[in-house]
Amino acid sequence: MAYNARIRRPEFLLSLEQVNSIAGAFGREMAEGLAGRDSSLKMLPSFLTVPDGTEQGRFIAVDFGGSYIRALDVQLDQGKAGILGYQKKALPAAGSASELFGFAAGLVAGLVSPGSYLGHTFSFPCRQVDVNTAYLLTWTKEITTPGVEGQDINRLLHRELAAQGSPVRPVAILNDTVGTLLTAAYNDPHADIAVICGTGHNACYLEPCSPITGRPMIINMESGNFNKLPYTVFDEQLDAASDKPGRQRLEKMAAGGYLGELARLVIVELMAQKILQGADGLTLFGRPYSLTTADIAGWVAQGSVNPWLGERGQAAWSEEQSRLIVPVCREIMLRSAQLAAAAILGTIKHLDPGLAREHTIAIDGSLYEKAAGYAGEVERTISASLGEKAGQVKLKLVKDGSGIGAAIAAAIACKEEV
Ligand code: BGC
């Protein structure tokens, strides 16, 4: 690991050479996974292709992400989508599958909507056998509700809807990356890759020739599990103490669910070495996951830790201490952006090595949308790697893809049912 002795702090940023080498390894893992060989990229089929813009009607969407569950009432009309109403609640600490999906069904019941077909964005790795049947392979994002892994997710949801007397029927299930790609492609024919840079990290793309059907299909790469990466000692430490060591290695370096914890581990180490002093370290930084990505994003945006310390009744750090920590946090955030860029570069190389056509990359997630300098770093890294061909690649923030995309998936499934 790079540990800069002169300024006495670890370094996280990647060189362009490292980014290119990660992109190369990513492309190779894609090919292995697609061919059904051992790979850290699961390359899961979605049984969906991109919409053609003619999908229309009113549909219910359930968006089951990392931090919240939402139910939405969505109107689709010839390439335009509108959210007519929604209910949103924090994910409960549920003790059983029935409690969890009963909670989601309750949100659907709270919608005033004439829609009766439901698309379900379920943002976890699932083995899908058709557009409406997906078995959860493993929980991610440190969620552990028992009785859900291995189950047919829409069956669990349908059972709870029926138990609450709801006539609503799930007709499609999809990953949030897939929803984001569907939303972008609804009115952009160049959209063929989507990335989530939020609590979790993942990407999908439109494979022109699915090994299952021989036709175009969106593949959920579950790229958060990619593991051909240069790890720092802090990445190793975080992984070892996580719920599932060895899994989701890219996610643990790139996702909002983990960046605050990485920074906390650095701070704890610098305190142990007495490089960082002052502040009641144990109270503030002693508990795992007590420092959030939003906290460190705030430090980076303000250029100081002191307002945050002040809010917690702690004495300010010296200028020197802030100068030590704020750049580390900035680098942790920017490395995440570089890793997202490397995954995008690897995917583009697989799809179109000579960059003969245009590609729109749909991106959603709070890091990309809100963190200072993040979107710029993704763009800069891709441009630096692609050089004069960079103009073929457009990055686009696509909000609400997991809600609108679920409605588009339901519309596609209903078209196919006819
Ligand atoms: C999940 C993915 C999801 C991503 C973003 C990851 O933890 O495994 O399925 O797309 O988070 O929400």
Side-chain angles (χ1 to χ4, degrees):
M1 182 209 34
Y3 197 100
N4 190 322
R6 189 176 49 82
I7 49 176
R8 301 207 297 168
R9 66 167 174 85
E11 292 191 310
F12 284 88
L13 282 189
L14 304 170
S15 65
L16 184 57
E17 211 183 339
Q18 281 176 306
V19 168
N20 287 336
S21 130
I22 295 169
F26 192 93
R28 285 191 293 280
E29 288 284 277
M30 284 178 75
E32 291 300 292
L34 263 189
R37 289 190 289 267
D38 193 35
S39 168
S40 62
L41 294 178
K42 295 192 181 79
M43 308 300 281
L44 303 168
S46 69
F47 293 87
L48 282 162
T49 185
V50 286
D52 59 17
T54 60
E55 297 71 16
Q56 55 184 335
R58 203 157 159 185
F59 297 92
I60 293 171
V62 166
D63 173 16
F64 191 134
S67 330
Y68 295 95
I69 304 190
R70 294 187 305 163
L72 304 95
D73 173 12
V74 182
Q75 175 79 51
L76 301 177
D77 187 15
Q78 309 280 336
K80 287 198 211 78
I83 295 175
L84 305 179
Y86 76 93
Q87 302 259 325
K88 173 177 171 179
K89 286 204 175 140
L91 200 72
S96 69
S98 162
E99 233 174 276
L100 195 60
F101 291 95
F103 184 81
L107 290 180
V108 172
L111 285 178
V112 186
S113 162
S116 49
Y117 295 112
L118 179 151
H120 183 187
T121 297
F122 185 70
S123 306
F124 301 90
C126 289
R127 185 173 63 81
Q128 212 153 331
V129 295
D130 61 42
V131 72
N132 198 30
T133 315
Y135 300 90
L136 176 62
L137 289 170
T138 172
W139 278 124
T140 55
K141 302 170 186 155
E142 309 296 305
I143 297 176
T144 53
T145 307
V148 188
E149 286 179 339
Q151 298 299 311
D152 173 350
I153 297 303
N154 264 3
R155 221 163 140 225
L156 296 178
L157 178 62
H158 198 187
R159 190 185 295 158
E160 297 304 323
L161 284 163
Q164 293 182 21
S166 166
V168 172
R169 178 158 72 92
V171 291
I173 183 159
L174 63 158
N175 188 256
D176 52 352
T177 53
V178 177
T180 301
L181 182 50
L182 293 178
T183 304
Y186 194 38
N187 49 31
D188 179 346
H190 301 301
D192 55 3
I193 298 176
V195 187
I196 302 288
C197 301
T199 311
H201 181 89
N202 189 13
C204 75
Y205 76 105
L206 179 63
E207 169 61 43
C209 179
S210 142
I212 299 177
T213 59
R215 292 196 305 276
M217 189 191 286
I218 301 174
I219 305 283
N220 166 19
M221 292 192 274
E222 282 299 324
S223 57
N225 196 50
F226 178 66
N227 65 7
K228 306 285 176 285
L229 292 160
Y231 304 115
T232 67
V233 289
F234 301 103
D235 298 311
E236 301 289 16
Q237 226 178 305
L238 184 148
D239 178 54
S242 68
D243 188 46
K244 290 185 171 139
R247 306 243 195 111
Q248 300 296 102
R249 294 304 305 264
L250 172 57
E251 179 162 81
K252 288 170 185 163
M253 295 164 79
Y258 297 97
L259 301 185
E261 175 63 3
L262 263 182
R264 189 191 71 84
L265 292 173
V266 175
I267 293 172
V268 167
E269 172 64 21
L270 294 182
M271 285 187 151
Q273 290 186 27
K274 306 258 183 301
I275 294 173
L276 197 62
Q277 281 160 354
D280 184 351
L282 260 189
T283 314
L284 285 177
F285 304 112
R287 196 166 41 85
Y289 292 88
S290 54
L291 190 62
T292 66
T293 301
D295 289 333
I296 66 164
W299 300 357
V300 173
Q302 294 175 321
S304 169
V305 183
N306 287 340
W308 185 90
L309 288 170
E311 280 163 25
R312 284 153 186 80
Q314 299 286 325
W317 281 357
S318 68
E319 182 69 8
E320 199 190 333
Q321 314 231 43
S322 263
R323 249 191 281 130
L324 195 63
I325 285 307
V326 174
V328 178
C329 294
R330 191 174 151 270
E331 285 193 12
I332 288 175
M333 310 280 296
L334 294 187
R335 184 185 65 162
S336 157
Q338 293 180 313
L339 290 167
I344 293 169
L345 287 163
T347 312
I348 293 174
K349 280 192 185 123
H350 166 83
L351 272 178
D352 180 13
L355 267 175
R357 49 199 170 83
E358 289 176 44
H359 301 269
T360 300
I361 322 294
I363 313 185
D364 196 4
S366 46
L367 281 173
Y368 185 78
E369 188 189 349
K370 297 188 191 138
Y374 194 98
E377 187 65 22
V378 179
E379 181 134 27
R380 210 171 8 260
T381 308
I382 290 179
S383 294
S385 175
L386 296 181
E388 58 187 22
K389 293 272 178 107
Q392 296 284 67
V393 175
K394 194 169 81 194
L395 305 181
K396 191 166 169 184
L397 173 68
V398 173
K399 286 183 56 170
D400 256 323
S402 44
I404 293 167
I408 297 173
I412 295 175
C414 287
K415 266 210 274 189
E416 282 169 5
E417 253 188 21
V418 178

